[in-house]
Amino acid sequence: MEDTKSKNRFKDFLVTQGLKSTHQRELILEEFLRAGSHLSTEDLYLRLRRKNPRIGYATVHRTLKLFAECGIAEQRNFGDGQARYEASAHDEHHDHLICVVCGKIVEFEDPRIEELQIEVAGGLGFSIERHRLELYGCCSDCRPA
Amino acid sequence: MEDTKSKNRFKDFLVTQGLKSTHQRELILEEFLRAGSHLSTEDLYLRLRRKNPRIGYATVHRTLKLFAECGIAEQRNFGDGQARYEASAHDEHHDHLICVVCGKIVEFEDPRIEELQIEVAGGLGFSIERHRLELYGCCSDCRPA
DNA sequence: GTTTAATTTGAAATCCATTTTCAACAGGGG
DNA sequence: CCCCTGTTGAAAATGGATTTCAAATTAAAC
């Protein structure tokens, strides 16, 4: 249950940072974990409003930043001018394939590419800390037969 | 002379699109080609102001979009909240290494990585149109000996 | 349970890069 | 030169992210 893991990690984070556990933070975490990945702040905000109209955009925004800070979420940016968040699977990293027609986002991972990145960077004197790889193209559903 | 090539391409673009060749557009293109790559709109605007105080930000912005449209420039986004533009070398593609300490940006290219990208995407039913690969790390100048 | 000190909330305001508006201006064909 | 159309630039609008601040909530202390 990744959910429980994330919830515990967030609780621990709040405690160690001297922050408080609130109703809103719980609601937001619940909904964040329930909803699929790659949601914008707006997306999550609207989903939450449907169930609890008394929640504020600012709170959703601040809470998502907390999630990122404590490591249970990662911020992404696919160039549409909106930050998106996804629940992070800790040990495994992945990159993204984005369909330019329908907007579908698929995750993938390839150790050979990672390997080459390290090699290339090393050759230029860099040690890599993180990277971003996004492939934009057309998925099979959107390609004319 | 890549410069002449870009200038001609832009001229052709203006003609075929029924757009006009103006003093400002020439100035902006000159300065864009002269200045190094990875400039933000603001950067270029300030450089231009030094020589010609009568040029407007909106014009620089619009003109950079024209450059991108006609293919002599590419828009980049390295996550600092500002779009950057670089002169595009047509036949060759490259990716970026960014030093998280000093902000230095190095370009690189590796056909093996490109190859693998196509392979991986194909396996998931995608045909790639373009991609973005950025490696963030620490350059040799910034690494403690 | 009550008090207290500190954090959190949410509506609204602010920020800031980008984009649009619009009246004055410039290009270039006729 | 004239006219039509595209262009310019100052200013305003936009839109997502972020901050402000008074009121509300939390959790520790009493």
Side-chain angles (χ1 to χ4, degrees):
Chain A
M1 221 138 284
E2 180 61 53
D3 283 18
T4 308
K5 211 160 143 191
S6 290
K7 285 181 189 172
N8 286 335
R9 181 185 265 251
F10 186 54
K11 268 196 187 99
D12 290 350
F13 174 78
L14 292 179
V15 171
T16 63
Q17 300 291 310
L19 302 177
K20 289 173 178 171
S21 169
T22 68
H23 188 48
Q24 285 91 333
R25 285 177 177 162
E26 279 174 37
L27 279 178
I28 295 171
L29 180 51
E30 289 276 353
E31 190 62 31
F32 174 68
L33 293 173
R34 180 173 14 246
S37 255
H38 311 119
L39 290 94
S40 65
T41 307
E42 179 83 18
D43 291 339
L44 190 57
Y45 169 66
L46 291 176
R47 288 182 66 115
L48 284 156
R49 289 290 284 211
R50 289 211 291 271
K51 297 175 184 174
N52 187 333
R54 312 187 48 65
I55 207 151
Y57 183 95
T59 303
V60 177
H61 170 262
R62 282 183 290 229
T63 305
L64 279 171
K65 293 222 313 189
L66 284 183
F67 292 170
E69 214 176 309
C70 87
I72 64 173
E74 277 172 63
Q75 200 190 31
R76 301 278 180 190
N77 221 301
F78 297 124
D80 60 349
Q82 272 194 309
R84 291 171 186 283
Y85 289 85
E86 68 179 47
S88 51
H90 273 108
D91 6 289
E92 125 212 1
H93 158 85
H94 64 256
D95 297 302
H96 295 87
L97 256 167
I98 299 111
C99 177
V100 295
V101 180
C102 68
K104 178 165 54 192
I105 299 174
V106 174
E107 300 174 353
F108 73 91
E109 198 261 335
D110 191 301
R112 297 168 301 169
I113 294 180
E114 316 269 321
E115 187 76 31
L116 284 171
Q117 287 174 1
I118 294 169
E119 178 191 321
V120 171
L124 293 164
F126 276 69
S127 57
I128 298 187
E129 194 170 279
R130 63 199 162 83
H131 74 259
R132 160 149 89 170
L133 173 58
E134 289 148 24
L135 308 180
Y136 296 86
C138 185
C139 76
S140 50
D141 292 343
C142 295
R143 194 162 35 240
Chain B
M1 219 138 286
E2 179 61 52
D3 284 16
T4 308
K5 212 160 143 190
S6 290
K7 286 181 189 173
N8 286 336
R9 183 185 263 252
F10 187 53
K11 268 196 189 95
D12 290 350
F13 174 77
L14 292 179
V15 171
T16 61
Q17 301 291 309
L19 303 177
K20 288 174 180 172
S21 169
T22 69
H23 188 48
Q24 286 91 332
R25 284 177 178 165
E26 279 174 37
L27 280 178
I28 295 169
L29 180 51
E30 289 276 353
E31 190 62 32
F32 173 68
L33 293 173
R34 181 173 12 247
S37 253
H38 312 119
L39 290 92
S40 66
T41 307
E42 178 84 17
D43 291 338
L44 190 57
Y45 169 66
L46 291 176
R47 289 182 66 116
L48 282 158
R49 288 292 283 214
R50 289 211 292 271
K51 298 174 183 174
N52 189 332
R54 310 188 49 65
I55 207 151
Y57 185 95
T59 303
V60 177
H61 170 260
R62 283 183 290 228
T63 306
L64 279 171
K65 293 222 313 191
L66 284 183
F67 293 169
E69 215 176 309
C70 87
I72 64 173
E74 277 172 63
Q75 199 191 30
R76 301 279 180 189
N77 221 300
F78 297 125
D80 60 350
Q82 272 195 309
R84 293 172 185 283
Y85 289 85
E86 68 179 48
S88 50
H90 272 108
D91 5 290
E92 123 212 5
H93 158 84
H94 65 256
D95 297 304
H96 296 86
L97 257 165
I98 298 110
C99 177
V100 295
V101 180
C102 68
K104 178 165 55 195
I105 299 173
V106 174
E107 302 174 352
F108 72 91
E109 198 262 334
D110 191 300
R112 297 168 301 170
I113 294 180
E114 315 270 321
E115 187 76 30
L116 285 172
Q117 287 174 1
I118 295 169
E119 178 191 320
V120 172
L124 293 164
F126 275 68
S127 57
I128 297 187
E129 194 170 279
R130 63 198 161 81
H131 74 260
R132 161 151 87 169
L133 172 58
E134 290 148 24
L135 308 180
Y136 295 86
C138 184
C139 75
S140 49
D141 293 343
C142 295
R143 192 160 38 239

